[in-house]
Amino acid sequence: TAKRDGKGGYRLFEPAMHADVLHRLELRSDLERAIGAGELELYYQPVVRLGDGSVSGFEALLRWHHPTRGMVSPVEFIPIAEETGLIVPIGRWVLHEATQHARRLEEATGGPLRMNVNLSAKQLQHGGIVADVKSALAASGFPPERLVLELTESVLLEDGDLAVMRLNALKSFGIRLALDDFGTGFSSLSYLSRLPVDVLKLDRSFLRDGAPALTAGIVGLGAALQLEVVAEGIETDDQWYALQALGCDYGQGFYFSRPLDAAASLAYRAIAVS
Ligand code: C2E
Ligand code: MG
Ligand code: MG
Ligand code: MG
């Protein structure tokens, strides 16, 4: 029902907004059963060495097969999972599933691979995160050195000291940390001194918007700080060659492969270099 509509007035419920609120409420209750109902699935996008296109590992990316709406994007449901706290059990499931699959991938390809898992700020605020990571590693037998947890700068926005403490606890048993979507935040550089990261993931907006000087600057920054740099969103061979020329070590993007379901990720082989 619309509220006052006069000059300087406001409407709380425009019809479109009403629909949006309903939509979110519905997704929220659907998400509660999604895990148990087996509607969540992990896809895996290869991360490649830009030198030769060989696979260094994979990033696990959540997919939700909604019974009536079809595929719901994580961009839509991760925020709902965060608001409701459901991200904690969902994230726990992701950690277990991704590390188990990492073991299968290593067996299939006969070599060590990294597995990247996205963590949201809410998961770090929750006291169980360290135990959850440990139990996923123990259950799968995947070595902590090859698990990379991806975070964004948002982990420092609320209770940053606690987040840093938890990240140090995670690092103390050997896992690696990556700063995701790097370069899009308000003060990316100051975060680098606070967060114990090993890897910078250059946000794909730099490639998309054609910002070669900024790209070169961040690759150089990574080198100076002895951090690995992964370029996100490589969609063309020209982008690949340009990053190679800059000395960027790793990349991922649709040019190499879209995120793959578990079976397809097992079948995936290194890109042939021509
Ligand atoms: P992200 O971690 O930055 O993941 C990269 C996103 O870029 C993925 O979108 C991927 O499909 C997409 N992408 C990769 N290469 C290309 C490319 O060449 N071009 C374009 N246009 N896009 C590319 P996706 O899978 O929709 O995931 C979106 C975001 O959802 C992720 O961004 C991450 O922040 C979040 N997310 C996904 N899975 C999880 C999860 O398990 N836990 C948490 N907490 N967040 C997740
Ligand atoms: Mg990521
Ligand atoms: Mg990213
Ligand atoms: Mg992103």
Side-chain angles (χ1 to χ4, degrees):
T1 48
K3 291 236 174 162
R4 257 162 41 78
D5 193 18
K7 209 175 172 212
Y10 50 89
R11 287 190 206 160
L12 269 184
F13 294 109
E14 294 281 359
M17 193 175 158
H18 194 177
D20 186 58
V21 169
L22 276 183
H23 175 68
R24 287 173 64 82
L25 281 175
E26 242 172 74
L27 283 184
R28 185 185 276 238
S29 64
D30 291 350
L31 193 54
E32 276 171 26
R33 352 158 316 266
I35 318 181
E39 291 166 14
L40 297 180
E41 182 181 5
L42 286 182
Y43 271 46
Y44 300 93
Q45 187 179 37
V47 178
V48 306
R49 297 181 189 89
L50 293 181
D52 60 4
S54 61
V55 181
S56 66
F58 290 84
E59 176 177 3
L61 293 161
L62 257 176
R63 298 292 178 258
W64 179 14
H65 305 279
H66 189 282
T68 55
R69 293 173 193 278
M71 188 90 107
V72 183
S73 163
V75 178
E76 199 174 346
F77 74 81
I78 296 283
I80 297 175
E82 289 171 344
E83 284 161 24
T84 52
L86 285 169
I87 193 68
V88 170
I90 290 175
R92 186 180 298 134
W93 178 84
V94 169
L95 282 162
H96 277 262
E97 188 77 10
T99 50
Q100 302 276 3
H101 189 63
R103 281 295 303 269
R104 269 180 244 129
L105 281 163
E106 289 192 338
E107 279 160 26
T109 58
L113 288 169
R114 299 241 183 103
M115 179 56 72
N116 287 30
V117 172
N118 292 285
L119 276 197
S120 64
K122 279 277 155 9
Q123 285 173 271
L124 267 186
Q125 284 162 8
H126 188 264
I129 185 64
V130 177
D132 285 350
V133 172
K134 271 191 182 160
S135 96
L137 290 169
S140 62
F142 191 64
E145 294 73 25
R146 297 205 286 277
L147 178 64
V148 185
L149 299 178
E150 298 193 1
L151 345 137
T152 62
E153 294 161 1
S154 67
V155 298
L156 290 182
L157 289 182
E158 229 178 278
D159 225 337
D161 291 337
L162 183 67
V164 170
M165 210 181 74
R166 299 246 158 88
L167 291 174
N168 282 320
L170 288 167
K171 286 219 62 170
S172 73
F173 57 91
I175 60 111
R176 302 166 70 82
L177 296 178
L179 200 43
D180 207 351
D181 306 340
F182 185 73
T184 55
F186 285 108
S187 49
S188 302
L189 294 183
S190 72
Y191 287 122
L192 275 184
S193 60
R194 286 191 68 196
L195 291 172
V197 295
D198 310 283
V199 181
L200 294 184
K201 297 194 74 175
L202 175 72
D203 190 71
R204 71 181 153 85
S205 59
F206 292 97
L207 294 189
R208 188 190 59 209
D209 304 342
L214 286 173
T215 303
I218 294 176
V219 172
L221 176 74
L225 297 175
Q226 293 174 299
L227 302 174
E228 289 176 4
V229 178
V230 181
E232 300 189 278
I234 301 177
E235 294 184 355
T236 67
D237 51 0
D238 284 347
Q239 289 172 338
W240 179 15
Y241 304 143
L243 287 159
Q244 235 178 2
L246 288 175
C248 182
D249 295 318
Y250 300 93
Q252 65 189 103
F254 295 169
Y255 176 72
F256 298 105
S257 172
R258 288 185 178 259
L260 304 167
D261 68 21
S265 71
L266 281 164
Y268 187 86
R269 286 291 175 273
I271 310 289
V273 195
S274 44

